[in-house]
Amino acid sequence: MKILIVGAIAGGSTVAAQIRRAVPDSEIILFGRDPVLGYGTCGMPYVIGGLIEDKWQLVGSSPEKFSEQRDITVKLGHDVLAINREQKTVEVRNMETDHVFTESYDKLILSPGGIARIPDLKGLGDLPLFTLKSFGDMEEIIDYIEREKPKSCAVIGGGFIGIELIENFIHRGLQTALIDRNERVMTLMDPEISQVLGKEMQDNKVDFYFEDAIERIEGKRLIMKNGMNFDVDFIASSIGIDLDTQLAIEADLHIGPTKGIVVNSYMQTNDPDIYAIGDAAECKDWFTGKPKNVKLAWPAHRQSFIVARHLAGNPIEMNGLLGTTITKLFALTAAMTGHSAKSLTDEGIEFGTAVYEGRTNAGYYPDHGSILLRVHYDEQSRLILGAQAVGDKGVDKRIDVIATAIMGKMTVDDLAALELGYSPPYSSPKDPVNMIGYKAR
């Protein structure tokens, strides 16, 4: 079986390795436009901030080593231009030589990812504008900071990547401003969680321009719509990505309401010989079964395993997605799984909320922390619908326990009965997760 893979970052390189293990006698060719193979995009803000000193630590393997160890043909700097579904071929351009050639396939896997959105800013001129989507984007930001020694910047967009960039620009000693059209940071989360994150940013001297936008730029001066103008040395934009689905559209593969490539539970498109994984794939929500697109690393890795098992003739199905995610912001950690209060309201789902705010572990222990934990649940069935947490310690543990409880179809009341590990450095006799179960009663 000859398998072609389009896209050689997280999803593409992972599915190639999974297929080699699952289908050992297959021929695998991996195409990627990016000159770097399979790097960890989630680590890029921390390289910019200097926490990770060597950028090459993000790269799991060189193309040569990856190819030799796994017997996979790796062709970086190659752009797949078109898919001919009838002939089962793709048209590929070598981006260095401009040579175009045709490659046949038995199975084709698409892992195209997305393209960073760039704001249309009037008068940008010579003011540098950066996005952070690729290894090259990261290198450009680092090179600029080290070469030009800027003093200030503005970040447009207060989502996950935006706040991680802000933290790391602050670590680099840059006076940093957040510009966001919304009324608060991290609108994906409940307002109560966002408020804690906003205060943490304020305590670390981040300037806020909420419900505002850049009207125009004059030299280095940002002329804001609300009239509070200020100077910056550069701008970093983090306003989301557009899914890179043009190749799929031109091949007449189905595109869903999330603008992702529609797949079944085995990651097959409407063409059973073509699969899609990663950011560009449209899966389903765990609770509603409605189309859902999650641009995170965990789904891409799980989907890679699903595809490999299906190709090996030993299929398992992809579960619906919870969208479990976590991020660091200065001294705090914030995480969520499942639905927020807003998404439940938007879906017309009635729910109750249990809240715990207090210590993460024994107060008499020197290194005790605090946490705010919110859990939404169906008041009739008592099933857990989502959870969010923010704190300075133990947030990851609590969100992961609750994500497991959701997938195990436990009720919010069952949380009180969970026998969780207790020792003063780590928890209390009644863990915050237990407390949510008691409070929900």
Side-chain angles (χ1 to χ4, degrees):
M1 180 164 30
K2 184 177 180 181
I3 302 165
L4 304 185
I5 301 169
V6 179
I9 306 178
S13 60
T14 301
V15 78
Q18 292 280 359
I19 292 169
R20 172 53 69 226
R21 285 190 284 269
V23 193
D25 59 348
S26 59
E27 177 186 0
I28 306 170
I29 304 176
L30 177 61
F31 295 108
R33 288 187 295 229
D34 200 292
V36 184
L37 172 69
Y39 52 89
T41 56
C42 300
M44 294 192 299
Y46 306 104
V47 178
I48 292 170
L51 182 64
I52 300 171
E53 295 182 359
D54 181 4
K55 64 186 178 183
W56 296 108
Q57 288 183 323
L58 300 187
V59 182
S61 178
S62 68
E64 295 78 16
K65 186 176 180 181
F66 185 86
S67 179
E68 180 182 349
Q69 289 181 337
R70 295 173 172 82
D71 188 24
I72 294 169
T73 301
V74 179
K75 295 189 176 184
L76 301 183
H78 283 68
D79 188 14
V80 177
L81 304 174
I83 302 168
N84 187 320
R85 288 170 50 190
E86 290 185 2
Q87 297 179 8
K88 297 183 75 171
T89 62
V90 296
E91 189 176 287
V92 187
R93 180 175 70 89
N94 183 318
M95 297 168 69
E96 183 178 350
T97 66
D98 215 32
H99 172 65
V100 177
F101 60 94
T102 299
E103 193 76 58
S104 64
Y105 67 86
D106 295 310
K107 303 292 181 181
L108 177 64
I109 300 165
L110 303 179
S111 182
I115 302 165
R117 293 179 188 145
I118 299 176
D120 183 15
L121 299 176
K122 183 179 179 182
L124 181 63
D126 295 327
L127 188 66
L129 171 65
F130 299 102
T131 58
L132 184 62
K133 185 67 179 70
S134 70
F135 198 87
D137 292 340
M138 177 191 71
E139 290 182 307
E140 285 183 13
I141 294 172
I142 294 170
D143 289 347
Y144 171 80
I145 291 174
E146 292 179 350
R147 184 181 67 251
E148 300 296 332
K149 306 291 191 296
K151 303 296 184 186
S152 62
C153 67
V155 174
I156 305 175
F160 283 96
I161 300 300
I163 68 169
E164 289 171 1
L165 276 173
I166 287 169
E167 175 185 1
N168 285 284
F169 287 147
I170 292 286
H171 283 169
R172 294 293 298 250
L174 295 165
Q175 181 59 47
T176 305
L178 168 62
I179 301 171
D180 200 306
R181 293 179 182 273
N182 298 299
E183 77 284 358
R184 57 187 172 93
V185 71
M186 293 289 285
T187 54
L188 194 62
M189 295 184 136
D190 292 349
E192 294 83 353
I193 304 291
S194 293
Q195 288 166 9
V196 178
L197 296 173
K199 184 179 185 306
E200 179 72 4
M201 296 173 78
Q202 188 175 40
D203 290 345
N204 282 274
K205 298 181 169 47
V206 177
D207 297 322
F208 296 121
Y209 295 85
F210 287 126
E211 296 183 287
D212 207 349
I214 300 170
E215 187 174 88
R216 68 182 187 279
I217 301 170
E218 296 178 357
K220 289 188 173 185
R221 176 150 287 247
L222 306 185
I223 310 301
M224 305 300 293
K225 289 190 175 180
N226 288 345
M228 296 291 290
N229 308 327
F230 61 102
D231 291 352
V232 294
D233 292 321
F234 71 91
I235 299 171
S237 175
S238 178
I239 56 174
I241 67 171
D242 293 317
L243 304 182
D244 190 1
T245 55
Q246 191 59 37
L247 185 67
I249 292 169
E250 292 173 358
D252 202 26
L253 299 179
H254 292 170
I255 305 298
T258 70
K259 300 185 180 178
I261 304 167
V262 177
V263 294
N264 63 15
S265 58
Y266 303 110
M267 307 312 297
Q268 290 172 296
T269 67
N270 53 294
D271 184 326
D273 292 323
I274 302 178
Y275 298 76
I277 63 172
D279 290 357
E282 179 178 281
C283 294
K284 296 186 185 301
D285 182 84
W286 171 272
F287 301 96
T288 66
K290 292 181 179 179
K292 185 166 187 161
N293 175 254
V294 176
K295 305 174 188 70
L296 295 170
W298 186 91
H301 282 253
R302 180 62 178 168
Q303 291 159 6
S304 297
F305 180 73
I306 298 293
V307 169
R309 286 284 296 264
H310 194 258
L311 290 173
N314 188 18
I316 56 174
E317 296 186 71
M318 182 74 189
N319 290 330
L321 292 172
L322 294 176
T324 306
T325 188
I326 190 167
T327 191
K328 174 185 177 297
L329 180 64
F330 301 109
L332 295 181
T333 299
M336 66 182 297
T337 187
H339 281 278
S340 67
K342 182 180 185 305
S343 63
L344 289 169
T345 301
D346 290 345
E347 288 288 343
I349 299 173
E350 295 185 1
F351 64 96
T353 303
V355 180
Y356 171 79
E357 186 170 11
R359 295 185 178 124
T360 59
N361 57 306
Y364 56 77
Y365 188 80
D367 185 27
H368 65 266
S370 61
I371 189 171
L372 169 61
L373 177 60
R374 296 172 53 82
V375 176
H376 306 304
Y377 58 94
D378 185 299
E379 292 185 295
Q380 299 302 315
S381 70
R382 311 294 286 177
L383 291 172
I384 304 165
L385 302 173
Q388 302 186 11
V390 62
D392 51 20
K393 189 178 180 183
V395 168
D396 52 343
K397 169 184 174 178
R398 276 75 189 198
I399 283 294
D400 287 346
V401 168
I402 294 171
T404 304
I406 292 173
M407 295 190 71
K409 298 184 179 179
M410 297 174 63
T411 68
V412 67
D413 307 298
D414 291 332
L415 297 180
L418 286 177
E419 187 178 349
L420 302 174
Y422 161 61
S423 179
Y426 303 106
S427 185
S428 300
K430 289 195 290 291
D431 188 86
V433 172
N434 298 139
M435 291 301 299
I436 287 290
Y438 287 116
K439 285 177 173 287
R441 292 178 183 271

